[in-house]
Structure formats: structure tokens, C-alpha cells
Amino acid sequence: MNADPLAWLLSLEGVPSAFASARDGIDVVLRDRGLRRTSPETTAESLLRGAHASAVLEGSASSLAEVRDGTADEIARDAVRVSTELLALMPVIRTQPLQALARLHAVAAQGSLPADLLGRPRDAEAATTLRALAALVTARTDAPALAVAAIVHADLATSAPFGSHNGIVARAAERLLLAARGVDEKSLVVPEAGHLALRAEYESNLRGWASGSQAGRHAWLLYAAEAFSAAAEASPLRRAAE
């Protein structure tokens, strides 16, 4: 029997309880606010807000209104394009994560890179990183789904395995894993908005993760739980009920 590749995080002080609390917060929003029938329009609104937040984190200067009316800048258009294809990749990320990640990059970088570089790792080291992430996604683990999504996000964002758009791909992969692993199947919370609301902490803790130190990884996981709580607060369900 293979060892749990994420067993190490279950013993980190405060991490299991932080993720349990974040999951409870998400469940409260989805259950209490979602008892009424949710519509595809609500999911579309969540994805749009997420695309805008992800684009801003990537350097976009466009407002949510500009994203909504189609007058946003190129970075925002790239993020929106990814959001429109995201949920179709739910079955793919479960069984063929490399294919799903490649597709996210190909959609994001369309028109920015030559066709033969779309969805392709930038070098052999990047290819190794992507294979390791794919193995992590398909491995059996007792770690919470939120933690798996956070780790995949951090590894993609900091290792930058593609020739461009790594931040957009990383945040899209995180949202996709939340949906595919049953945390938020209709993608109604907005993890990208959680990161934007905590932007200074987000960027600082990604640097900590990139350091490879236990302290840096511990800090990222605690931060991620906080960001997921903020993601629940940013849900269109939450805003509509206020």
C-alpha cells in the first residue's frame, strides 16, 4: 500500500483545524444560502468574479464592470476565457490531471505563445514538476481536499512550469479541484477573490512556499485556510442574501 504523500501536513500545528473551519464556512454558505435553487447564472457570476480577481492578481488594471461588459484588457480576457472552459474539465482533472493542466494553459495563453508551446512545459524540469503534481492529484490521501487544492495552486504558481500565465493557471486549477473533489461542485465560492482580498498575505506566503522551508509551507497552508474562508464570503450566494 502506498504511503499518503500528504501525511506530513496532518501533523502541522493548527493546519487540520484551520482547514476544517474553512470547510465548515464554505458548507454553511452553500447549504444555508443555497437551499433555494441555484442557477447556472449564479455559477457564471462566480466564475466571472473569479476571473476578474485572478486577472488583477496577474497584473490586470480592468474593473469588474469592464470584465462584465467585454471591454477589459488582455490579461482579463485571458482569465475569462479560462473560466468559460473550467468546469468542463472536472472529469479530466480527476483522472488525467496533466491533460487538464495543459488545457488550462492552452486556453489562457491562446494568442500569446506559438501554438506548439500551448499546454507544454517550458523545460524538462517543469515537465517533472507537472508529473509530480499529477501524481499528487490522483494519489490516495487523508488530507482535506482544500489542502490538496492549495498545494497544487502554490506549486504551479511558484514553479511556473509553463511559458506564461502560470498564476492564472494555478488559481484556475485550485478552483477546479474544489469542484472536482466535491467541496463546491457548482463552483459558487470565489477562491480568487479570497486571494485578492488578502493580496499582501497571498504574495508573501507564496514566497514562503517557494523557499521550500517547513515554516514557509506551514504558513502557506494556514494562509490558504483563511483565504478559503474569504472565498466563501465572496460567493454570489452570500452577496445576494445580504
Side-chain angles (χ1 to χ4, degrees):
M1 184 175 179
N2 293 331
D4 185 338
L6 295 179
W8 58 272
L9 71 79
L10 298 174
S11 63
L12 292 177
E13 183 178 358
V15 168
S17 60
F19 279 116
S21 178
R23 179 64 186 266
D24 286 346
I26 290 172
D27 288 347
V28 165
V29 170
L30 297 182
R31 181 183 67 245
D32 295 347
R33 307 301 184 185
L35 285 176
R36 62 193 185 332
R37 183 175 299 175
T38 58
S39 67
E41 289 75 22
T42 310
T43 294
E45 175 64 17
S46 173
L47 287 164
L48 187 73
R49 293 183 189 186
H52 168 253
S54 189
V56 171
L57 288 166
E58 200 75 359
S60 171
S62 294
S63 67
L64 179 58
E66 288 169 331
V67 171
R68 200 183 302 283
D69 66 21
T71 61
D73 59 27
E74 183 178 355
I75 297 172
R77 292 197 300 273
D78 294 342
V80 169
R81 198 163 55 244
V82 170
S83 75
T84 62
E85 293 208 19
L86 193 65
L87 297 186
L89 293 172
M90 283 174 60
V92 185
I93 195 77
R94 293 185 184 112
T95 59
Q96 297 177 294
L98 276 178
Q99 182 178 331
L101 294 175
R103 181 58 184 166
L104 289 175
H105 179 255
V107 174
Q110 179 184 324
S112 299
L113 292 177
D116 62 342
L117 297 182
L118 296 178
R120 301 291 299 274
R122 53 183 170 77
D123 55 27
E125 182 179 355
T128 299
T129 295
L130 287 171
R131 286 194 295 271
L133 278 176
L136 183 68
V137 169
T138 56
R140 290 183 176 273
T141 180
D142 290 327
L146 291 174
V148 176
I151 288 171
V152 170
H153 175 177
D155 270 348
L156 285 170
T158 59
S159 67
F162 298 110
S164 68
H165 295 76
N166 288 286
I168 288 175
V169 170
R171 290 181 289 274
E174 180 177 75
R175 181 190 274 260
L176 180 57
L177 283 166
L178 296 183
R181 288 178 171 250
V183 175
D184 179 20
E185 291 182 358
K186 294 184 179 180
S187 210
L188 295 167
V189 303
V190 192
E192 306 91 340
H195 297 306
L196 182 58
L198 300 169
R199 185 170 190 169
E201 295 92 335
Y202 173 65
E203 294 172 349
S204 172
N205 282 294
L206 276 178
R207 290 192 294 271
W209 180 271
S211 74
S213 70
Q214 182 171 347
R217 300 202 163 199
H218 191 179
W220 166 260
L221 291 167
L222 291 174
Y223 157 78
E226 182 182 0
F228 287 133
S229 296
E233 292 299 312
S235 171
L237 288 176
R238 180 78 174 176
R239 299 298 175 85
E242 291 175 349

